[in-house]
């Protein structure tokens, strides 16, 4: 599951960085807004891939997953955007360097852990255990 999640995160990161770079370099958008919109785009991609492939959540109610994912995703976008801004301003480096450091940290320490333990967790596990005992 961890490897699948990392592959999904890489796809989402590719979307995130591509959108951010295009908005900043092609359209001249301020890097903070470009980073925010990139994270938003990557997050949408990540949610779709994780639901269908990584966490095999087809049995979970989509509404519940969406609400929980939105909560985690809101924190992720805030951490990514604020972290990118602070690290860029403090280091005076090009924003993509800071964005990469922040993205890896948030991805491993926040996104993966909360998606695995909260968003895609089967809340009906107790019922499944009782069914197995009866068999």
């Amino acid at each position: 599951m961890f490897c699948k999640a990392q592959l999904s995160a890489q796809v989402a990161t590719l979307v995130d960085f591509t959108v951010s770079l295009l908005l900043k370099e092609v359209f001249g958008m301020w890097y903070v807004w470009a980073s925010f919109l990139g994270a938003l785009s990557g997050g949408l991609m990540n949610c779709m891939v994780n639901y269908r492939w990584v966490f095999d959540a087809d049995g979970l109610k989509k509404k519940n997953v969406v609400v929980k994912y939105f909560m985690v995703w809101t924190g992720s976008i805030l951490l990514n955007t604020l972290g990118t801004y602070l690290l860029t301003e403090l280091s005076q480096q090009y924003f993509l360097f800071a964005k990469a450091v922040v993205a890896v940290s948030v991805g491993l320490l926040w996104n993966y852990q909360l998606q695995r333990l909260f968003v895609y967790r089967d809340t009906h596990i107790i019922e499944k255990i009782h069914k197995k005992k009866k068999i």
Side-chain angles (χ1 to χ4, degrees), residues 32-96:
V32 175
W33 284 117
S35 182
F36 171 78
L37 293 173
L40 194 67
S41 302
L44 286 171
M45 174 63 70
N46 187 253
C47 185
M48 290 185 290
V49 173
N50 285 351
Y51 184 83
R52 295 261 182 226
W53 185 60
V54 176
F55 296 102
D56 193 27
D58 287 333
L60 300 178
K61 291 183 180 181
K62 287 181 183 177
K63 180 182 174 185
N64 294 342
V65 170
V66 168
V67 168
K68 292 190 289 184
Y69 188 88
F70 182 77
M71 292 166 57
V72 172
W73 189 30
T74 300
S76 176
I77 289 173
L78 290 173
L79 290 169
N80 274 290
T81 304
L82 182 61
T84 299
Y85 171 73
L86 291 173
L87 197 54
T88 299
E89 295 300 312
L90 291 172
S91 70
Q92 295 298 306
Q93 298 294 317
Y94 186 62
F95 87 101
L96 277 185

